[in-house]
Every structure is written in C-alpha cells, then in structure tokens.
Amino acid sequence: MRTPMACTQTLSNPLPSSPHLLPHKPDSIQLTQEEMKRVAAYRAADMVGSGMVVGLGTGSTAAHFIDRLAELMLNGSLTGIIGIPTSLQTEKHAIKAGIPLSTLDSHPIVDISIDGADEVDPKYNLVKGRGGSLFREKMIEGASRKFVVIVDETKMVGCLGGSGLSVPVEIVPFSWNYTLLKIQKLFENEIGFSARLRVDQDNKPFKTDNENYIIEMFFEKGVSGDLNEVSDKLLRLTGVIEHGMFLNMATNVVMAKKDGSLVILNK
C-alpha cells in the first residue's frame, strides 16, 4: 500500500463553516466518513431548483445526493427535474429512485451537475474516475453551467495525485500495453512514478461503461508541473481517450467535516 503524501494544502476563498449536523449526533461525537458524505450531499441538494436539468454523478457520495434529490421530488419541494446520469450504475439508481432521465443529446446544456471527487486540490482541480466513469462524468459535467463537487475533508490534497492513490486514464483496449508503455515513457523522469492496467476481481481487465480499459497512474510526490500541459501531453497519446484530472471545471466545492459542519468553497 502506498503512503499518502503530505502535500501542502491551502484552501482558497472558503466561506465560514456552517453547521449542518446530523440530528442524531451529539456535538462531541465525530462523524464517520459515510456520514460526512451524506452531509455534503444533502447540502448540495439545496442548490437544485425546480425545472433544472441536473447532472447526476457516480459513486458513493453522489448516491446520497440522488437519494436526497428523489426525496425532495417526492415531497413536492422540487418539480420538473430532469436527470442526466454519468454512468449505467447511476442510471439504474435514478430510475429506481423515480427521477426522470434524459441524455446530453436531448439536453446539451445542463443547469447543474453534482458529483463527488477522489481528490480536490487548493485550486479546485480534481481527480475523478477511480470508479471508472470518468469519460461520461467529464462530458456531462463539462456541459454544465454549474458543477458542484461534494466531498468529505479526507479528499482535500495539496496537489493532484497527492493521496498516493491512482490517477486514472481511460484508453482503448486495442494494443493496450503499447499505450501503457507510452504513458510510462511520458513520465519516465518522475521519481517514483508507476502505472498499471486496472483489473477486476477476476483479474481480468476492468471495463468502463464504454467498454474501454483504465490505466492507473501513481505519483509518489503528486503530479508535478503545469497540469494543463500534463493533460495535453496525455491526450496526444494515441490510444488515450480521456484522463481523470478535471481541471478548471468545478465551480463550487461542498466539504463536510468530521464535526458535521460544512465549508463551501466558491470559485
């Protein structure tokens, strides 16, 4: 297991912490990570208005948001909502929850997308896609007027890749090892860099909703240099479809803390 790196972290433009405690938790008891996710998701649901086209994120934090959105629709607090799911998993969840769905083809402009993130740096750049849905997430969230990221405080890092966990890259399956070698060559001067093919529980290549593969990149000291240049170099590699660095996309970050309070960061 890789040891998370202690990158320098500075939150820019934070609003004051606002209490959003779960009602059953005394102030002296710290929230679990799952409870922090739910606190952030519920607060983000307050940002949705009736009649909006809403991008529905993927993952455990986004799942709390979907449940809350469905609850607000059921009790009549929100009407006329149309959801755009970022994965097949989210599509199934939203259908079960009773949220009407559509696609980017029918709604090319999304009013608001709400999703979790694997990492958030001080400039609100993100690592996303460790669950494998980065391509669809980036399309839908990139088409959004507002992109709200919901996280618990453990997701905040000083630099992308700073957690020691993977930065994913979606690639075509054809000659995947060739693409892996190209990625390794691109970062050959990065001390401690490594990359590997993601496999499933049966040790077979993990497949995304688009039937593509994922290369997992690891940076012992985080991604160095200009992130936009790193992004451009990756995307120029034949075989690479998209990567999990979401740069300059988030408009707001809702971060839940262990004491149940929130910090809302606005770009």
Side-chain angles (χ1 to χ4, degrees):
M1 180 178 295
R2 292 174 174 271
T3 302
M5 299 302 297
C7 296
T8 301
Q9 177 180 326
T10 303
L11 297 179
S12 52
N13 193 28
L15 294 182
S17 295
S18 56
H20 206 71
L21 292 165
L22 297 179
H24 68 286
K25 281 282 187 180
D27 291 347
S28 60
I29 299 180
Q30 301 241 313
L31 302 187
T32 66
Q33 186 174 28
E34 200 63 30
E35 287 170 331
M36 285 190 284
K37 292 177 181 181
R38 182 150 58 99
V39 167
Y42 275 44
R43 177 61 183 87
D46 294 341
M47 300 180 180
V48 178
S50 292
M52 282 188 172
V53 177
V54 183
L56 305 176
T58 297
S60 58
T61 309
H64 288 301
F65 165 72
I66 293 169
D67 288 338
R68 178 58 174 168
L69 184 66
E71 180 183 333
L72 293 173
M73 294 171 62
L74 184 62
N75 68 25
S77 298
L78 289 175
T79 59
I81 297 296
I82 297 175
I84 310 291
T86 56
S87 67
L88 296 178
Q89 172 190 335
T90 294
E91 181 179 340
K92 292 176 182 177
H93 186 172
I95 290 173
K96 185 176 180 179
I99 300 173
L101 299 180
S102 188
T103 65
L104 275 184
D105 291 330
S106 299
H107 297 86
I109 297 177
V110 180
D111 293 305
I112 186 172
S113 283
I114 297 179
D115 200 357
D118 299 307
E119 295 180 1
V120 182
D121 80 3
K123 295 184 178 179
Y124 315 149
N125 295 312
L126 318 171
V127 170
K128 288 176 53 58
R130 289 180 187 152
S133 301
L134 64 95
F135 181 74
R136 296 191 184 195
E137 288 175 338
K138 190 170 280 191
M139 284 192 70
I140 292 167
E141 289 151 10
S144 303
R145 291 190 173 101
K146 180 180 286 190
F147 174 28
V148 179
V149 179
I150 46 177
V151 293
D152 64 84
E153 62 183 331
T154 67
K155 305 299 185 182
M156 307 304 293
V157 297
C159 52
L160 296 191
S163 69
L165 300 175
S166 69
V167 178
V169 181
E170 187 163 345
I171 67 169
V172 296
F174 176 74
S175 296
W176 66 264
N177 194 57
Y178 170 82
T179 306
L180 172 60
L181 292 174
K182 287 293 185 181
I183 292 172
Q184 292 171 331
K185 178 72 173 176
L186 181 62
F187 295 101
E188 63 181 351
N189 294 324
E190 291 279 345
I191 297 175
F193 173 82
S194 64
R196 68 189 182 199
L197 180 71
R198 179 181 295 178
V199 296
D200 61 21
Q201 58 187 7
D202 297 319
N203 208 35
K204 295 181 180 179
F206 172 90
K207 290 186 178 181
T208 70
D209 287 348
N210 303 306
E211 296 293 313
N212 295 316
Y213 290 174
I214 293 284
I215 298 296
E216 297 180 305
M217 305 189 303
F218 298 91
F219 298 83
E220 287 190 1
K221 296 185 178 181
V223 183
S224 63
D226 184 290
L227 293 178
N228 290 303
E229 290 183 6
V230 174
S231 170
D232 291 344
K233 289 178 180 179
L234 269 171
L235 294 174
R236 283 200 296 268
L237 295 179
T238 303
V240 170
I241 295 173
E242 191 50 86
H243 57 71
M245 294 186 296
F246 284 48
L247 308 180
N248 304 309
M249 290 180 62
T251 58
N252 310 84
V253 177
V254 179
M255 178 186 66
K257 302 174 73 173
K258 289 181 180 179
D259 63 3
S261 64
L262 290 164
V263 176
I264 302 176
L265 307 168
N266 297 316
K267 200 157 189 178

